[in-house]
Amino acid sequence: MSSSVLDYILLTKPRIVLLVMITAVAGLVVEGSLLRDPARFALVLFAITLTAGSANAFNQYFERDLDAAMARTRKRRPLPLHRVSERGALTFAIGVGAASVVLLWWVGNPLSAWLALGTIVFYGFFYTLWLKPRTVHNIVIGGAAGAMGPVIAWAAASGGIALAPVLLFLVIFLWTPPHFWALALCLQEDYRLVRIPMLPIVKGEAETYRQIELYTIALVVLTLAMPFLHAGGAIFAAVAAACGGVFIWKAVRARRAATVPSAWNVFSYSIVYLFVLFLGVIVDAIWRIPLHI
């Protein structure tokens, strides 16, 4: 077995980690206090990156047999490819997770450290080992872990929680089901093979498309309401309206077409949507910062 740094990085699911990072940056920028302390800003962001990486590495470790059976993952992930040993993956997940908690305790505070630990345990263990294989609501509930970036960031910077990070959490929470259900529609045979009760398998394709549409509408309504809750300005409102309108259009079109290409289109756009939306959060917050700060 020949392991490399890249193989261990792949254990963290880098594309997912990148999305977590931009949501965490949004939380830090909106909170604002660490903009005066770029070194601490970077360390908090790095710690949250490690948190996400650890949770994902635990997920891959526990799902190594499932990944080896699924066409989408068996030729892409380091454990099914035997490029990383089981012991190496578990040691890496534990080490990275411990480092994230310790770093957040040091540069942040106990609250942020406990939130990070809870995120790792919730996703790496509760979601992966119990929730995902047992209930059709796995993605809905499990989405809470992926939505914690802004909350941990805000807690690390301020020592508390406020409405703004909760709203950012809810944005990611509502975004997660249409994102993953669109993927599940495209990969039904994989999930059926490993007996994961994803919504298309349990409730059928028509209900899945309907739920994607409903969650997308709820998500866009939330983002459009945020400026009225003092959680965004004109720039964010414009981005939310433009990107949200496209997202709803794609979800409606997918429900009507009910084809794999239309589901892939929703899945692909959902990634762009979240990235651009949170980029809008960041730009909007920076734009509204008083010049003397």
Side-chain angles (χ1 to χ4, degrees):
M1 180 180 298
S2 175
S3 299
S4 67
V5 173
L6 177 60
D7 293 320
Y8 282 100
I9 291 174
L10 290 175
L11 283 176
T12 69
K13 301 182 183 178
R15 286 180 292 183
I16 294 177
V17 168
L18 181 61
L19 287 175
V20 173
M21 286 176 65
I22 193 169
T23 65
V25 169
L28 290 172
V29 172
V30 173
E31 195 279 333
S33 64
L34 294 191
L35 294 175
R36 307 180 189 92
D37 190 349
R40 190 171 162 220
F41 185 108
L43 286 172
V44 168
L45 181 59
F46 179 60
I48 295 172
T49 301
L50 295 179
T51 300
S54 173
N56 289 329
F58 274 116
N59 174 264
Q60 287 201 50
Y61 171 76
F62 288 124
E63 290 191 341
R64 58 193 183 277
D65 293 335
L66 301 185
D67 285 344
M70 294 174 68
R72 180 176 69 97
T73 52
R74 62 174 172 246
K75 293 183 179 180
R76 297 174 57 187
R77 293 187 173 172
L79 280 166
L81 289 171
H82 303 291
R83 296 190 60 85
V84 173
S85 69
E86 293 177 9
R87 173 181 281 187
L90 181 59
T91 301
F92 176 77
I94 293 171
V96 169
S100 73
V101 173
V102 170
L103 187 55
L104 279 169
W105 194 292
W106 176 52
V107 300
N109 44 63
L111 175 60
S112 60
W114 281 114
L115 287 172
L117 179 60
T119 299
I120 293 169
V121 171
F122 181 84
Y123 185 80
F125 292 83
F126 178 71
Y127 167 75
T128 301
L129 295 177
W130 190 86
L131 198 64
K132 187 174 180 178
R134 285 176 172 81
T135 173
V136 71
H137 303 295
N138 48 20
I139 288 301
V140 178
I141 303 170
M148 286 298 293
V151 178
I152 298 173
W154 190 285
S158 70
I161 303 296
L163 177 61
V166 172
L167 290 173
L168 295 177
F169 168 92
L170 289 175
V171 167
I172 307 165
F173 184 78
L174 290 175
W175 168 86
T176 302
H179 170 71
F180 278 106
W181 283 336
L183 179 64
L185 282 164
C186 303
L187 302 174
Q188 291 184 64
E189 292 309 313
D190 266 357
Y191 287 117
R192 187 174 286 111
L193 176 66
V194 296
R195 299 182 180 181
I196 298 296
M198 298 300 287
L199 188 63
I201 297 170
V202 178
K203 299 292 186 179
E205 292 186 5
E207 178 62 15
T208 304
Y209 281 111
R210 189 178 78 88
Q211 290 293 330
I212 287 174
E213 186 177 304
L214 290 175
Y215 269 91
T216 302
I217 292 171
L219 166 63
V220 175
V221 169
L222 171 62
T223 61
L224 294 178
M226 286 171 62
F228 298 98
L229 298 171
H230 307 290
I235 294 176
F236 173 76
V239 172
C243 293
V246 174
F247 203 174
I248 290 175
W249 173 68
K250 287 182 177 290
V252 171
R253 189 176 67 170
R255 180 177 61 81
R256 291 174 178 173
T259 61
V260 170
S262 67
W264 273 120
N265 192 254
V266 171
F267 172 76
S268 300
Y269 179 75
S270 69
I271 298 172
V272 175
Y273 170 84
L274 192 70
F275 185 86
V276 174
L277 185 73
F278 273 82
L279 188 60
V281 172
I282 294 166
V283 172
D284 183 86
I286 292 173
W287 182 263
R288 291 185 292 120
I289 292 173
L291 293 178
H292 66 273
I293 291 181

